[in-house]
């Protein structure tokens, strides 16, 4: 059971109070140029995932709190959360990730 | 009551023998049907020993007679089925079962009796059964595995008898938070908890046994100049008196999980059935979220590996000491001690002071010095150094101990100069393993301590620290310093401030010299072969088994474990793991850290499934969602089906009516008169705001923004992969307000789905998504007389055909209740769906029934609904869809916009596989024999040779249509829409049924009935 | 190689079992192989075995960063069945199940395949319709899947709660008489021993740290024990596939997640068939040792942590207690997690990648154990013949480009 912190409403809660939505910052190509999306680009968006062993940006929803989706950085090996940030915030640079930035 | 052969007089041990028992009262219990006695404070183990019971069980594989070797949760042998009937529980450790009057205990894994066990024949042939023997045989003939070998193995394996009945007892779970969780109530845990408490933290301290103090009561010394037992008693009382501290006994912290989540099982009433009668739960599972964890779980003594070391009467040294001091029980009268460390000398001292003869102390080390040794020497006990046990003289059948054979330990491994020492008790000590299990459950990594010849905690990512023996710290003054500092630091880390570091209590203790590991003692005889040096007692794994595994190439410690089953018994290797690693390391000629260790898995000791589930049983398993009309269904004979978390009426059978007859009657009632359906489970989501229409255009395949206020439109939802997952009617309530209907099962999912898209992809759109399913009772009034029924009720709405058209929506009042009325139809009849606030639902439902009776109104269930929608050619999500079906496959291209630039699923629908012309398409099927109803899911083939044919599709829905008095079906058939009128075949068992591909709309193709 | 039989066992007993040879060698890696397989789990070992046995390709190394069979092969709940819905799935799982039937004899290693029968309990009307569809789909594919009534289920599983008042009343079950279980470690050991005897180098404690390419073709791997050249590289790394494939610059349609499982303490026989209950997410069998082997769901978020966690198992235990009230007084002995690789449609991915000579076999998700022999068989064939085996073809990576999913999700809420 993980502990999460919702950056929107501020509550701290158990994993069961949240819902994980998988990899964050996927870019949906049709939303930008619906007429020019190749099958390859579509596949990359729909199916291919980074699935890293280590730091991972992912979406969570505060299902039993404010209901808002937000993003988190989590280490997929140790299960430690490194950062929580709002949907409208930029993806952190994981290559040069500084835990202090959140 | 005394007079039991192994119960020591109260005066023994300076008047302290049997500190925990109350000799003034006698309890009786049965062991394999025989009545025995004990005292309050006894465990089943101590009471059996007091009664002179030596053999307590039979081993797993060889069925060798076994006695107790331990005193706590490490015990591998003394497992019993305790209790009777539905309250019987197998595999309980006698060392943890507190005695109560009337306890019944059955020994296990023996037939017909513990004393005479046919399975012991296995031991005769044990040479044929080395580790992993079953991988090498039982292969021929092939069918024998299923019919002969495996059934035999299954009966021979297993331990206790399986429970057969529903459990009459209750269990509960509680969730708690604390600043500091202290695991273990020995001296280290107590000192840590006190330091944390003094620093102001909220503390939970838990110990698996019925009392606090660990084994410090057996170690001597003083704390703050008083007996450690007194110090601990006073300190625990201080902890218990503080409202910020929770002191839990009989509570095992069984698992440590992510982010300092701990699970503890409290055995509330196992020791006292009267508590159950008084309403207590049997077990309580605590789920703890701790700021910091202090692990003070102590250490577990290691056995020594010598031949026949499993003979009853051979026990762990500290356990013997504990039985004498705590219960006034001596397991034997002539003891020998075998040790590689100083601690066992304390056992010698205790036995001497209790008046038990210590025939010899055998120390594997070349020498030993210090106060403990000197004291024992002063008693006149003989010591033999640099020696080990080379064999055991056993009683007939191996049921007891007559003598041991002592021989010098030589580097060559050769055994000579054997001396036989008569004895009936051997106290063995191979050193101590820190109980690091919980440290490893999440991210902890271990280091190897050469001093202890054992693993100790290394690094962890968790907010957890380890103190005392669990950390490899064994002398009392150091334990107290480490625990006090650890408790304080934990409090500080958890609550931010903690004041000045406290001073640890002062302690005095005997100092101990270094131990020296001994992994194997050669046995008498030329080659040492065929001897059984047990490592894992319960699973019958010997040193030779481990060596065989290594010899055969199973070099990784995980391979050794899995090949030999070492450490996989109910004690999870608490006493065997390190000894086995020592043997593997010796065999491979590498160091123990190079061999590595297997990973410890939760739980530390087994936890009951009852506790794991807690209150979530019966009615609380998955509470049923109830519609506002549910109580009416209950008293009106509804026959239910589970739908999601709901339970919907399938039909309302009358007396002597079958389900099928009821459905036919209900269908005909709707087709000819009028019916009433509880549709409250239907998903309802309000989407409101200036951009609501724009948003729904992105969600739905068709255009919703063009919908006029007061009108309804059927819509389809795809996922972004292009597959259909839900459908329903959308009504425009107002300019900026839509009501979305979903299927019952998808309501929650669809609301969450909308939120996801809104928040993550189109956050700039200005709207709110509000699930309102539970806020409304909703029912369909359907049938040619539906209008008359509604018109007979008091209302401000005009239900006439002109004023209230098909696919219209209007709000108003009906019979005094506010209503939203949608003229939509899933049955194909004239139909109004009426929604009213949930609290008004039942009254309005009853009013409709009352008003409808004269018109022949009948309530109908889900099956009649399904039949009627099939007659009309409407798809059903979940029947015609299965996650692989697109709207185009279902002939719904009319509802799939080509104009809109983008909506969810649009682009994927263009991918090659979804555009293939040979996809399976939605069609109707009429069997040649109109009385024959195709089975659900039957496959369709071309031609008439079922054995050679590839399926070209399958039947997705199939019914007897009461309206048409013939069978009807839907199917998804390759290129189905191009094949109207063709015949396909359906193999059913060994025959073929022919059917014609037809338009899926079987009834009222023009849709006139719903338009009247 | 020593033959294993009751006779050799008896003969070796005379010498106190000192004469047994190693089950496999521990060779040093050579500098070059025809095929390097990354990952010595069941699927990789089976691939190596069939490459050597069926195709005579013996210049093969199989590398593992740890010990062979150390991943999901030794961490699963050992269920074997082929009663799937989609024809593509039926084909590969039934090939696998039928290979399991003769595997002990073929490998001369008792893998204890136990065709004790497998029940998928039917608890809702919706399941009833789906299961009937599976029965027909299986029958036409030649499987002996049946639908059993409630009474027949009760006969096979006397401890089951068949009360009509249950939260989900038992409506019957899908029954595959020839489904069952096998001894998981033995699969890895048996294939390793068989492959080794045919000349394959099984190299443990050799982690792959890079995949070398020249242009569009693979040329070998970098390992903790040096560079190894290879004409073909086959990645069979289950939960770690994404990490390995990333070394070749190939992104995969996979997410890794810990699947939770547990066993109870052993008791005498109480459950003779395998029982699965998709509607309430529970499945259970009793091992020959007497333990109830219970599979739970996966963690809520992807991870590479083999630690046990609570929520998924608690959900499963709760469901199983409703079905088997007598389990309440049984106790959980051990829990753990295994890192499974879930593909986008929950079906496996088998075949060559866009990098020439780089093959991948992954995405078995929660159902890999049952597929080991079939997966190895078709994968070896695809590698040896430079074209997909017909049974492997539907599972190629290109399906994600074409939108051609093989989706079993309707057949099982938990697809195990």
């Amino acid at each position: 059971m993980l502990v999460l912190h919702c950056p929107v409403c501020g509550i701290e809660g158990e994993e069961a109070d949240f819902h994980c939505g998988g990899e964050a910052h996927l870019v949906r190509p049709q939303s930008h140029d619906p007429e020019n999306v190749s099958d390859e680009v579509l596949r990359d968006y729909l199916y291919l995932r980074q699935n890293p062993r280590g730091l991972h940006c992912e979406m969570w929803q505060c299902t039993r709190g404010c209901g808002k989706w937000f993003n988190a950085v989590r280490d997929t090996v140790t299960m430690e959360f490194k950062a929580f940030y709002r949907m409208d915030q930029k993806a952190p640079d994981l290559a040069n990730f500084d835990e202090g930035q959140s | 009551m005394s007079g039991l052969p192994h119960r020591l007089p109260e005066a023994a041990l300076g008047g302290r023998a049997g500190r925990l028992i109350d000799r003034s009262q006698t309890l009786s219990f049965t062991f394999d049907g025989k009545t025995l006695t004990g005292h309050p404070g006894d465990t089943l183990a101590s009471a059996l020993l007091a009664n002179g019971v030596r053999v307590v069980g039979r081993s797993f594989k060889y069925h060798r007679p076994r006695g107790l070797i331990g005193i706590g949760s490490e015990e591998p042998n003394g497992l019993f089925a305790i209790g009777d009937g539905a309250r019987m529980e197998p595999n309980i450790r006698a060392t943890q079962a507190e005695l109560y009057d009337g306890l019944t205990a059955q020994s296990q894994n023996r037939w017909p009796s513990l004393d005479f066990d046919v399975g012991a024949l296995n031991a005769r042939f044990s040479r044929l059964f080395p580790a992993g023997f079953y991988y090498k045989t039982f292969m021929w003939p092939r069918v024998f595995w299923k019919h002969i070998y495996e059934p035999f193995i299954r009966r021979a394996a297993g331990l206790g008898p399986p429970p057969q009945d529903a459990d009459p007892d209750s269990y509960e779970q509680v969730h708690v938070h604390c600043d500091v969780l202290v695991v273990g109530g020995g001296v280290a845990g107590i000192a840590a908890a006190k330091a944390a408490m003094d620093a102001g933290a909220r503390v939970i301290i838990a110990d698996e046994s019925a009392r606090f103090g660990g084994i410090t009561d057996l170690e001597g010394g003083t704390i703050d100049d008083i007996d450690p037992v007194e110090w601990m008693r006073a300190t625990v009382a201080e902890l218990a008196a503080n409202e910020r501290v929770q002191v839990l006994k009989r509570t095992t912290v069984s698992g440590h999980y992510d982010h300092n989540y701990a699970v503890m099982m409290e055995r509330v009433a196992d020791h006292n059935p009267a508590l159950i009668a008084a309403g207590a739960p049997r077990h309580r599972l605590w789920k703890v979220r701790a700021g910091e964890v202090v692990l003070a779980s102590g250490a577990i003594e290691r056995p020594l590996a010598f031949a026949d070391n499993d003979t009853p009467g051979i026990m762990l040294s500290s356990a013997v000491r504990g039985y004498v001091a705590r219960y006034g029980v001596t397991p034997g009268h002539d003891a020998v001690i075998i040790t590689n460390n100083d601690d066992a000398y304390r056992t010698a001292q205790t036995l001497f002071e209790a008046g038990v003869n210590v025939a010899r102390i055998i120390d594997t080390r070349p020498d030993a010095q210090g106060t403990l040794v000197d004291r024992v020497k002063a008693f006149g006990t003989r010591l033999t150094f640099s020696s080990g046990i080379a064999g055991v003289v056993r009683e007939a059948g191996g049921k007891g101990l007559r003598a041991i054979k002592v021989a010098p330990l030589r580097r060559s491994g050769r055994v000579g100069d054997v001396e036989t020492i008569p004895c009936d008790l051997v106290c063995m000590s191979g050193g101590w393993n820190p109980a690091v299990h919980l440290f490893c459950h999440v991210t902890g990594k271990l280091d190897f301590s050469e001093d202890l010849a054992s693993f100790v905690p290394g690094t962890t990512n968790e907010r957890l620290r380890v103190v005392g023996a669990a950390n490899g710290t064994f002398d009392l003054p150091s334990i107290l310093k480490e625990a006090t500092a650890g408790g304080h630091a934990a409090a500080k880390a958890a609550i931010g401030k903690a004041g000045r570091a406290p001073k640890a209590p002062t302690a005095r203790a005997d100092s101990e010299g270094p131990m020296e590991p001994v992994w194997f003692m050669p046995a008498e005889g030329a080659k040492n072969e065929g001897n059984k040096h047990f490592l894992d007692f319960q699973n019958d794994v010997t040193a030779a088994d481990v060596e065989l595994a290594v010899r055969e190439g199973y070099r990784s410690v995980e391979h050794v474990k899995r090949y030999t089953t070492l450490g996989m018994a109910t004690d999870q290797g608490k006493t065997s793991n390190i000894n086995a690693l020592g043997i593997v390391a010796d065999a491979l000629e590498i160091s123990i850290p190079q061999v590595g260790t297997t990973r410890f898995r939760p739980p530390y000791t087994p936890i009951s499934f009852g506790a794991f589930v807690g209150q979530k049983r019966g009615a609380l398993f998955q509470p049923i969602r109830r519609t506002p009309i549910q109580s009416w269904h209950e008293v009106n004979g509804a026959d239910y089906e589970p739908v999601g978390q709901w339970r919907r009426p399938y039909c309302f059978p009358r007396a002597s009516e079958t389900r099928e007859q009821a459905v036919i009657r209900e269908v005909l009632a709707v087709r000819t008169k009028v019916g009433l359906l509880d549709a409250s489970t239907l998903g309802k989501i309000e989407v409101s705001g200036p951009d609501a229409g724009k948003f729904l255009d992105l969600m739905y395949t068709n255009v919703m923004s063009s919908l006029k206020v007061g009108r309804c439109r059927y819509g389809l939802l795809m996922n972004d992969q292009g597959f259909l997952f839900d459908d329903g009617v959308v009504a425009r309530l107002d300019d900026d307000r839509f009501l979305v209907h979903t299927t019952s099962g998808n309501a929650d999912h669809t609301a969450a789905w909308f939120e996801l898209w809104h928040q993550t992809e189109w956050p700039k759109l200005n709207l709110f998504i509000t699930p309102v399913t539970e806020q409304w009772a909703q029912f369909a009034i359907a049938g040619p007389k539906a209008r008359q029924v509604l018109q007979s009720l008091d209302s401000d709405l005009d239900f006439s055909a002109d004023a209230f058209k098909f696919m219209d929506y209007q709000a108003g009042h009906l019979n005094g209740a506010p209503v939203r009325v949608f003229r939509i139809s899933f049955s194909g009849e004239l139909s109004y769906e009426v929604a009213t606030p949930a609290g008004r639902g039942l009254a309005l439902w009853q009013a409709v029934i009352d008003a409808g009776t004269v018109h022949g109104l009948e309530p109908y269930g889900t099956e009649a609904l399904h039949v009627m929608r099939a007659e009309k050619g409407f798809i059903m999500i979940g029947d015609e869809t299965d996650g692989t079906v697109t709207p185009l496959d279902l002939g719904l291209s009319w509802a799939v916009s080509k104009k809109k630039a983008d909506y969810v699923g649009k682009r994927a629908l263009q991918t090659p596989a979804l555009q293939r012309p040979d996809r399976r398409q939605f069609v109707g099927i009429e069997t040649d024999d109109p009385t024959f109803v195709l089975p659900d899911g039957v496959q369709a083939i071309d031609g008439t040779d079922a054995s050679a044919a590839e399926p070209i599709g399958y039947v997705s829905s199939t019914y007897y249509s009461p309206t048409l008095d013939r069978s009807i079906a839907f199917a998804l058939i390759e290129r189905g829409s191009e094949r109207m009128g063709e015949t396909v075949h359906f193999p059913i068992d060994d025959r073929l049924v022919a059917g014609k591909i037809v338009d899926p709309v079987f009834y009222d193709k023009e849709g006139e009935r719903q338009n009247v | 190689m020593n033959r294993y039989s009751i006779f050799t066992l008896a003969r070796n007993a005379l010498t106190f079992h000192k004469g047994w040879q190693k089950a496999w060698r521990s060779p040093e890696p050579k500098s070059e192989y025809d095929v390097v397989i990354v990952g010595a789990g069941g699927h990789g070992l089976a691939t190596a075995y069939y490459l050597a046995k069926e195709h005579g390709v013996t210049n093969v190394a199989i590398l593992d960063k740890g010990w062979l069979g150390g991943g999901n092969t030794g961490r699963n709940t050992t269920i074997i069945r082929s009663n799937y819905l989609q024809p593509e799935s039926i084909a590969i799982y039934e090939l696998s199940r039928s290979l399991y039937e003769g595997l002990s004899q073929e490998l001369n290693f008792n893998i204890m395949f136990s065709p004790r029968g497998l029940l998928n309990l039917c608890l809702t009307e919706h399941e009833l319709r789906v299961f009937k569809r599976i029965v027909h789909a299986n029958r036409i594919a030649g499987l002996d899947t049946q639908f059993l009534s409630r009474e027949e289920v009760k006969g096979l599983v006397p401890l089951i709660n068949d009360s009509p008042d249950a939260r989900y009343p038992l409506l019957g079950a899908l029954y595959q008489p020839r489904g069952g279980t096998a001894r998981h470690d033995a699969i890895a050991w048996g294939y390793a021993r068989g492959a080794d005897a045919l000349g394959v180098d099984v190299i443990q404690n050799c982690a792959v740290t890079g995949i070398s390419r020249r242009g569009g073709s693979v040329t070998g791997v970098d390992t903790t024990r040096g560079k190894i050249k290879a004409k073909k590289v086959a990645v069979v790394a289950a939960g770690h596939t994404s990490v390995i494939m990333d070394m070749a610059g190939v992104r995969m349609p996979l997410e890794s997640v810990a699947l939770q499982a547990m066993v109870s303490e052993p008791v005498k026989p109480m459950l003779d068939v395998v029982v699965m209950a998709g509607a309430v997410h529970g499945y259970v069998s009793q091992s020959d040792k007497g333990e109830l082997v219970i599979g739970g769901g996966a963690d809520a978020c992807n991870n590479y942590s083999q630690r046990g966690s609570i929520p998924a198992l608690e959900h499963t235990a709760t469901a199983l207690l409703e079905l088997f009230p007598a389990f309440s007084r049984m106790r959980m002995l051990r829990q753990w997690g295994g890192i499974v690789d879930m593909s986008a449609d929950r079906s496996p991915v088998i075949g060559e990648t866009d990098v020439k000579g780089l093959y991948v076999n992954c995405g078995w998700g929660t159902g890999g154990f049952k597929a080991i022999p079939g997966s190895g068989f078709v994968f070896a064939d695809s590698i040896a013949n430079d074209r997909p085996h017909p049974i492997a073809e539907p599972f190629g990576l290109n399906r994600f480009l074409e939108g051609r999913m093989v989706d079993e999700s309707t057949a099982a809420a938990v697809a195990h």
Side-chain angles (χ1 to χ4, degrees), chain B residues 422-442:
Chain B
C423 62
D424 62 355
L425 174 64
V426 170
C427 312
M428 59 181 165
S429 180
W432 292 80
N433 295 335
V436 294
H437 305 68
L438 273 91
F439 179 78
C440 301
H441 283 177
V442 189

Side-chain angles (χ1 to χ4, degrees), chain C residues 309-329:
Chain C
S309 72
I310 286 286
L313 286 185
E314 185 173 324
H315 183 75
T316 296
T318 304
L320 286 178
L321 240 63
E322 282 304 298
L323 292 170
F324 297 97
F327 285 3
S328 175
R329 286 175 109 89

Side-chain angles (χ1 to χ4, degrees), chain C residues 205-227:
Chain C
N205 299 306
C206 179
V208 169
T209 55
I211 294 177
S212 323
R213 303 169 49 164
R214 192 180 306 118
S217 303
V218 75
T219 56
V221 294
D222 303 325
T223 78
T224 49
R225 291 163 73 174
K227 256 188 178 329

Side-chain angles (χ1 to χ4, degrees), chain B residues 60 86-92 109 127-128 130 133-140 142 145-146 150 154-160 162-167 169 171 173 257-258 263 282 287 441 529-530 539 548 550-554 556 558-559 562-563 568-570 572 599 601-603 606-610 612-613 616-618 621-624 641-642 644-645 647 659 878-879 882-884 911-914 935-939 941 951 954 987 989, chain C residues 4-6 9-10 13-14 16-18 20-24 26 67-68 74-75 86 101-102 104-105 108-110 112-116 123-126 129 132-133 136-137 139-140 159 166-169 183-186 189 204 262 264-272 280 286-291 294 306-310 313-315 317-319 321-322 325-337 401-405 407 409-410:
Chain B
F60 194 82
R87 289 203 157 91
M88 185 280 295
E89 187 173 19
N91 303 342
I92 300 197
N109 203 32
R127 259 163 84 176
L128 280 175
F133 73 98
Y134 31 74
Y135 297 122
K136 295 182 175 134
T137 184
F138 301 140
M139 286 178 274
W140 299 98
R142 199 162 100 180
W145 177 257
K146 181 179 177 187
E150 187 180 43
R154 284 173 81 81
R155 272 197 300 277
L159 285 171
Q164 300 285 343
D165 304 309
D167 190 340
D169 295 336
Y171 299 81
Q173 294 190 353
Y257 301 93
D258 297 317
V263 167
R282 190 167 84 97
K287 296 176 170 174
H441 283 177
E529 285 164 337
N539 267 357
L548 173 65
V550 173
R551 191 178 311 130
E552 292 195 80
Y554 299 87
S556 145
E558 279 287 348
H559 283 167
R562 287 155 180 267
Y563 192 62
M568 301 184 84
T570 66
Q572 294 283 285
R599 202 162 155 178
R601 301 288 185 182
I607 63 177
S608 64
F609 285 120
F612 199 39
V613 167
K616 300 182 288 295
R617 304 167 76 179
F621 162 50
Q622 282 184 13
I624 293 172
E641 68 163 321
Q645 297 302 101
R647 194 173 269 185
R659 263 188 161 200
D879 286 349
D882 63 4
T884 69
T911 48
L914 302 195
D936 274 309
V938 66
Q939 301 282 306
I941 59 168
Y954 67 96
D989 297 325
Chain C
Y4 290 163
S5 73
I6 186 68
L9 200 58
L14 299 176
F16 298 96
H17 302 285
K18 300 244 158 132
W20 292 109
Q21 293 171 1
K22 289 204 184 322
W24 47 78
S26 299
W67 36 285
L68 68 90
R75 293 177 201 281
Q86 310 293 355
E101 284 188 331
S104 293
Q105 291 73 27
N108 180 234
F109 197 100
N110 191 353
M112 298 178 220
F113 174 61
S114 169
R116 64 182 66 169
L123 301 176
T124 69
E125 295 284 339
H126 176 69
R129 287 188 285 271
K132 288 184 172 173
R133 184 176 158 200
H136 292 291
R139 286 293 183 83
I140 208 163
L159 287 181
R167 175 68 178 83
Y168 294 97
R183 170 84 188 115
H184 55 13
D185 292 324
W189 300 341
Q204 305 182 67
M262 61 183 162
S264 76
E265 293 185 327
V267 290
K268 295 293 178 194
M270 68 190 302
L271 181 63
D272 294 331
V280 290
Q286 189 179 17
S287 73
D288 287 345
K289 201 181 163 194
E291 296 163 333
I294 296 170
Q306 288 178 337
R307 91 263 174 270
S309 72
I310 286 286
L313 286 185
E314 185 173 324
H315 183 75
T318 304
L321 240 63
E322 282 304 298
F327 285 3
S328 175
R329 286 175 109 89
M330 296 285 293
R331 291 192 298 261
M332 169 167 77
L333 176 62
R334 188 168 65 244
Q335 67 166 125
W336 66 92
L401 191 61
E402 297 165 11
R404 182 174 44 78
M405 303 300 135
D407 192 332
S409 54
T410 194

Side-chain angles (χ1 to χ4, degrees), chain B residues 513-526:
Chain B
M515 61 85 69
E516 284 180 19
V518 175
W519 304 121
F520 185 83
M521 296 183 188
E524 201 182 15

Side-chain angles (χ1 to χ4, degrees), chain C residues 296-312:
Chain C
D299 286 344
C301 55
N302 60 340
N303 66 77
Y304 290 82
S305 161
Q306 288 178 337
R307 91 263 174 270
S309 72
I310 286 286

